Amino acid sequence: MKTNELPRLLSDFLLKELPVVRNQSSNTIASYHDTYVRLLSYFQDVVGIKPEKLKIRDLTAEQITEFLNWLESECGNSISTRNQRMAAIHSLFRHSH
C-alpha cells in the first residue's frame, strides 16, 4: 500500500469493511470513527502533522502508544476505553495488510 493512502483506507474501512463485510453495529462503527477522529486530532495538535499530510508510515508503534497514553492522561479516558481505541486501531491495521 502506498504511504499516502490513509484517507482512502479509513473511508473504505468505515464505509465498506465494518458495515458490509464484518456486519458491525452502528455503535461499533461510531466508536471506531471517533477513535480515528481523535487519532487525527492527536497527530495534528500534539505531533504537528495535519490530517491531509499524515501517512501510514507515521503510525508507528511508538506514536500509537503515545496516542493511547495521551488519551488516558490528557483526555481522561479509562483503561477500558483506551483498550477499545487500541482495538479499533489494531483492526484498521489488520485490514490494511
Side-chain angles (χ1 to χ4, degrees), residues 6 10 32-47 49-51 54 58-60 63-68 70-71 85 88-89 92-93:
L6 186 58
L10 285 170
Y32 278 37
H33 178 270
D34 185 56
T35 296
Y36 307 137
V37 167
R38 289 178 181 267
L39 181 65
L40 295 173
S41 295
Y42 168 80
F43 269 91
Q44 179 170 313
D45 298 341
V46 177
V47 180
I49 302 174
K50 293 181 180 182
L54 187 63
D58 297 322
L59 303 177
T60 64
Q63 284 293 346
I64 297 301
T65 300
E66 290 298 320
F67 166 67
L68 295 170
W70 175 79
L71 286 175
R85 305 291 187 204
I89 293 167
L92 177 67
F93 274 93

Side-chain angles (χ1 to χ4, degrees), residues 76-94:
N77 284 184
S78 67
I79 297 285
S80 70
T81 300
R82 177 193 166 163
N83 289 342
Q84 289 172 346
R85 305 291 187 204
M86 183 172 59
I89 293 167
H90 186 251
S91 186
L92 177 67
F93 274 93
R94 278 196 320 263

